[in-house]
C-alpha cells in the first residue's frame, strides 16, 4: 500500500515536471509551476516529511509563482 | 569560449559529478531499511530535550548553527533583490490609483477578505507551535507574508500599500536576524558555546517545553515574514508603481 502511494506520487511529480518544461509561455509556466509545487508537496507528505511539505507548499505554490508573474509583468512593461 | 570547449568542459565536469554521485549512493543503506544511526542519536536527544517535533529539535537545537547559515542566506538574498530592484534614474512613480482597469471579481474579493484573518491565524499558529507540530518559523513566516498579500489579490495595490509600511518590515527582518545571532552569543556567555540551550527544557506536556527552540522559531518567523514582505514589495513596486524604466 505504502509503495503504491509512493509510486503514484513519484509518477505525478515526473509528469508535472515534464509539463512545466513543455509549457511555452512564461506566464503560463508560472501556473504549471504552482501545480507542480502541489504535486511535490504530496510527494514529501507521502515520504513522511510534513515539515518539508509545508515549506514547499508555502514557497512553491504562492511565493515563487507570484514573483515570476510580477517579473514578467515588469519586463513586458504594459506592452500587452 | 568556443562551443566545443564549452561542451568538453560540461561533459568532463558532468561525468565527474556522475561518478562521485554513483560512488556516494552505492554505499548508502537501502531505502526503507531499519539501520539509521543518525536517527537513533537525533531522536534520543529530541526526547531528552522535550521537543515533540524532532525536525525542529534538529533544526533549532542540535544543529542550530546550520539554520543560522540558512537564515543568513535568506537575509542576503532579500538584501540583494532589494538592491537590484531599487528604482533607476529613468523610473518615476505613478501617481494615484495604480489599479487602473483592474477588475476584481466579487467572489475573489469575498474569498480574499474571508481568508485573510484565517491565513494570519494559521501563520501565527505554525510559528508558535513549531516545536510541537510540523512547521516552525520559516513556514509560518512565509504563510504570514502570504496572508498580507491577500489584500492585493482581493482589494487593490493601494490598500496593500496603506497597511504595509515597508520600512517597518525592513527593521523587522534585521531584528529577527539579530535575535538569532544574539541568542547564540548569550549561549556562549551562559552555557559556554555558541547557540547552546540557555532556556530550561520543561519536558513533554508543557506548552513552552523546548528551551531555545520556540524563541529561535519566533526570531526566524519575524525575519522570514518581514523578508518576504520586503522582497515582494520591491517586486510589486517595480511591476505596478514605476514606469519609464529601460524596458518600457
Amino acid at each position: 500500500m505504502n509503495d503504491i502511494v509512493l509510486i503514484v506520487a513519484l509518477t505525478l511529480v515526473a509528469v508535472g515536471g515534464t509539463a512545466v518544461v513543455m509549457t511555452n509561455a512564461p506566464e503560463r509556466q508560472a501556473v504549471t509551476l504552482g501545480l507542480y509545487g502541489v504535486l511535490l508537496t504530496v510527494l514529501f507528505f507521502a515520504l513522511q516529511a510534513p515539515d518539508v511539505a509545508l515549506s514547499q507548499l508555502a514557497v512553491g505554490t504562492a511565493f515563487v509563482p507570484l514573483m515570476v508573474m510580477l517579473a514578467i509583468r515588469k519586463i513586458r512593461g504594459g506592452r500587452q | 569560449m568556443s562551443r566545443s570547449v564549452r561542451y568538453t568542459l560540461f561533459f568532463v565536469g558532468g561525468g565527474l559529478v556522475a561518478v562521485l554521485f554513483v560512488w556516494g549512493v552505492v554505499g548508502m543503506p537501502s531505502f526503507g531499511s531499519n539501520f539509521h544511526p543518525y536517527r537513533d542519536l537525533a531522536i534520543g536527544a529530541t526526547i531528552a530535550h522535550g521537543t515533540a517535533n524532532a525536525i525542529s529539535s534538529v533544526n533549532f537545537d542540535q544543529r542550530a548553527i546550520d539554520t543560522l547559515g540558512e537564515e543568513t542566506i535568506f537575509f542576503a538574498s532579500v538584501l540583494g533583490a532589494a538592491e537590484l530592484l531599487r528604482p533607476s534614474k529613468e523610473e518615476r512613480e505613478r501617481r494615484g490609483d495604480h489599479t487602473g482597469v483592474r477588475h476584481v471579481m466579487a467572489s475573489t474579493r469575498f474569498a480574499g477578505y474571508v481568508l485573510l484573518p484565517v491565513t494570519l491565524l494559521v501563520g501565527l499558529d505554525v510559528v508558535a507551535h513549531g516545536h510541537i507540530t510540523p512547521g516552525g518559523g520559516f513556514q509560518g513566516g512565509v504563510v504570514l507574508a502570504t496572508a498580507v498579500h491577500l489584500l492585493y489579490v482581493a482589494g487593490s495595490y493601494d490598500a496593500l500599500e496603506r497597511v504595509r509600511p515597508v520600512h517597518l518590515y525592513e527593521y523587522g527582518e534585521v531584528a529577527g536576524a539579530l535575535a538569532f545571532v544574539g541568542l547564540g552569543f548569550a549561549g556562549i556567555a551562559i552555557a559556554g558555546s555558541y547557540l547552546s540551550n540557555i532556556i530550561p527544557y520543561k519536558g513533554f506536556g508543557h506548552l513552552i517545553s523546548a528551551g531555545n527552540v520556540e524563541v529561535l522559531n519566533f526570531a526566524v518567523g519575524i525575519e522570514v515574514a518581514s523578508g518576504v514582505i520586503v522582497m515582494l514589495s520591491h517586486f510589486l513596486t517595480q511591476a505596478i508603481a514605476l514606469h519609464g524604466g529601460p524596458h518600457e
Side-chain angles (χ1 to χ4, degrees), chain A:
Chain A
M1 179 59 202
N2 201 12
D3 282 349
I4 295 169
V5 173
L6 273 184
I7 289 165
V8 169
L10 279 167
T11 313
L12 283 175
V13 165
V15 171
T18 315
V20 175
V21 176
M22 303 292 274
T23 312
N24 283 321
E27 59 264 37
R28 283 199 217 115
Q29 215 162 18
V31 179
T32 44
L33 188 66
L35 291 173
Y36 176 61
V38 176
L39 295 175
L40 270 182
T41 306
V42 173
L43 175 67
F44 293 150
F45 196 73
L47 286 167
Q48 302 180 23
D51 280 83
V52 189
L54 208 52
S55 300
Q56 170 59 34
L57 188 68
V59 175
T61 64
F63 185 37
V64 172
L66 179 58
M67 250 181 6
V68 172
M69 292 299 276
L70 288 172
I72 291 167
R73 181 171 167 166
K74 174 64 184 177
I75 292 165
R76 297 273 155 88
R79 272 177 293 156
Q80 269 179 303

Side-chain angles (χ1 to χ4, degrees), chain B residues 2-218:
Chain B
S2 77
R3 201 180 176 82
S4 58
V5 175
R6 277 208 305 270
Y7 272 118
T8 316
L9 196 68
F10 168 73
F11 282 115
V12 170
L16 279 173
V17 171
V19 168
L20 286 174
F21 182 76
V22 171
W23 190 21
V25 167
V26 162
M28 277 170 65
S30 65
F31 185 73
S33 75
N34 267 327
F35 176 68
H36 290 290
Y38 186 78
R39 173 201 64 187
D40 296 339
L41 290 170
I43 300 290
T46 298
I47 291 169
H49 294 177
T51 314
N53 182 11
I55 313 292
S56 278
S57 178
V58 172
N59 281 342
F60 294 100
D61 189 2
Q62 302 172 40
R63 303 291 297 268
I65 190 94
D66 291 15
T67 306
L68 178 62
E70 282 164 27
E71 295 317 312
T72 312
I73 292 169
F74 177 80
F75 189 82
S77 52
V78 171
L79 206 66
E83 185 68 17
L84 281 173
L85 293 172
R86 73 194 190 284
S88 67
K89 265 183 236 139
E90 309 94 73
E91 290 171 328
R92 294 173 307 281
E93 190 165 343
R94 286 194 190 106
R95 290 274 148 238
D97 185 22
H98 296 122
T99 50
V101 292
R102 185 167 176 267
H103 174 69
V104 183
M105 279 191 293
S107 54
T108 309
R109 189 179 288 270
F110 177 73
Y113 285 132
V114 170
L115 285 176
L116 177 64
V118 177
T119 316
L120 275 178
L121 270 180
V122 169
L124 279 175
D125 179 77
V126 171
V127 173
H129 296 133
H131 60 297
I132 297 171
T133 50
F138 179 76
Q139 293 93 327
V142 178
V143 173
L144 284 174
T146 312
V148 175
H149 288 91
L150 280 176
L151 256 187
Y152 169 61
V153 175
S156 68
Y157 179 67
D158 293 316
L160 178 65
E161 284 281 88
R162 275 198 294 279
V163 301
R164 186 207 57 185
V166 174
H167 65 280
L168 282 186
Y169 292 101
E170 287 167 354
Y171 288 120
E173 195 195 1
V174 176
L178 280 180
F180 202 123
V181 174
L183 201 67
F185 281 114
I188 295 187
I190 295 168
S193 65
Y194 194 73
L195 277 171
S196 64
N197 190 67
I198 52 169
I199 299 165
Y201 300 117
K202 286 276 183 59
F204 296 119
H206 293 84
L207 182 61
I208 314 283
S209 63
N212 272 11
V213 175
E214 284 110 316
V215 182
L216 289 176
N217 263 324
F218 271 107

